[in-house]
């Protein structure tokens, strides 16, 4: 069974958010919309890192299966398309921690795929969003 800080593999062998209730909508977005797509996880990590590092970062929307997420220097806003009261505002630090934890889950669930997708993302975008990631989490 796979377990990280915020995620656990459920009976159907898919990730389920098991973190604190105050982060549940954020965790639900990750599992429902990003799913086990390493490129999408890397894109979200990269956008949050850019918003965290640059106060002039223009807000970026990510639309998925069930949610719209807006990433800006002020934080991350998650809204569910179908359930109006499933929404939340999160700090960039909270979003970053949840996304990096989900990356760790991907590494355990898809060990043969993650390195190739990380290299692909770095080649396509000119940088590796995971470079120095553990130090970035400490700030």
């Amino acid at each position: 069974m796979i377990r990280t800080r915020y995620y656990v593999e459920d009976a159907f062998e898919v990730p389920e958010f098991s973190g604190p209730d105050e982060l549940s909508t954020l965790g639900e977005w990750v599992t429902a919309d990003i799913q086990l797509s390493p490129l999408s996880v890397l894109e979200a990590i990269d956008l949050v890192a850019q918003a965290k590092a640059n106060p002039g970062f223009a807000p970026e929307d990510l639309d998925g299966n069930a949610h719209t997420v807006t990433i800006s220097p002020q934080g991350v806003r998650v809204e569910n398309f179908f359930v109006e009261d499933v929404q939340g505002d999160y700090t960039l630090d909270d979003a970053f921690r949840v996304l990096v934890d989900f990356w760790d889950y991907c590494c355990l669930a898809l060990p043969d795929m993650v390195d190739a997708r990380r290299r692909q993302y770095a080649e396509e975008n000119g940088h590796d969003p995971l470079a120095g990631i553990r130090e970035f989490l400490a700030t």
Side-chain angles (χ1 to χ4, degrees):
M1 172 182 275
I2 298 171
R3 177 177 290 280
T4 62
R5 180 176 178 194
Y6 294 121
Y7 291 92
V8 63
E9 184 177 66
D10 71 10
F12 300 103
E13 297 183 348
V14 296
E16 180 179 322
F17 185 75
S18 63
D21 287 342
E22 63 269 14
L23 299 177
S24 65
T25 301
L26 182 65
E28 181 182 308
W29 160 61
V30 172
T31 56
D33 286 358
I34 293 178
Q35 301 175 354
L36 285 174
S37 171
L39 287 174
S40 296
V41 178
L42 291 169
E43 177 186 23
I45 289 170
D46 196 15
L47 291 171
V48 170
Q50 288 178 45
K52 190 173 177 178
N54 179 4
F57 178 82
E60 183 87 28
D61 290 336
L62 299 175
D63 292 325
N65 296 325
H67 302 83
T68 292
V69 173
T70 303
I71 300 170
S72 74
Q74 291 73 41
V76 175
R77 171 102 178 127
V78 180
E79 296 178 78
N80 187 293
F81 292 142
F82 307 107
V83 185
E84 191 172 304
D85 63 337
V86 176
Q87 57 187 323
D89 294 298
Y90 301 94
T91 67
L92 292 171
D93 289 339
D94 284 343
F96 198 72
R97 279 192 299 277
V98 169
L99 287 163
V100 170
D101 188 74
F102 194 69
W103 175 258
D104 291 343
Y105 185 99
C106 288
C107 289
L108 295 170
L110 307 167
D112 297 334
M113 183 187 296
V114 291
D115 287 335
R117 294 300 182 261
R118 183 176 178 179
R119 282 190 303 277
Q120 177 186 351
Y121 190 92
E123 288 171 12
E124 291 174 0
N125 293 280
H127 66 279
D128 178 358
L130 299 176
I133 201 85
R134 302 302 168 188
E135 294 83 21
F136 201 67
L137 278 170
T139 61

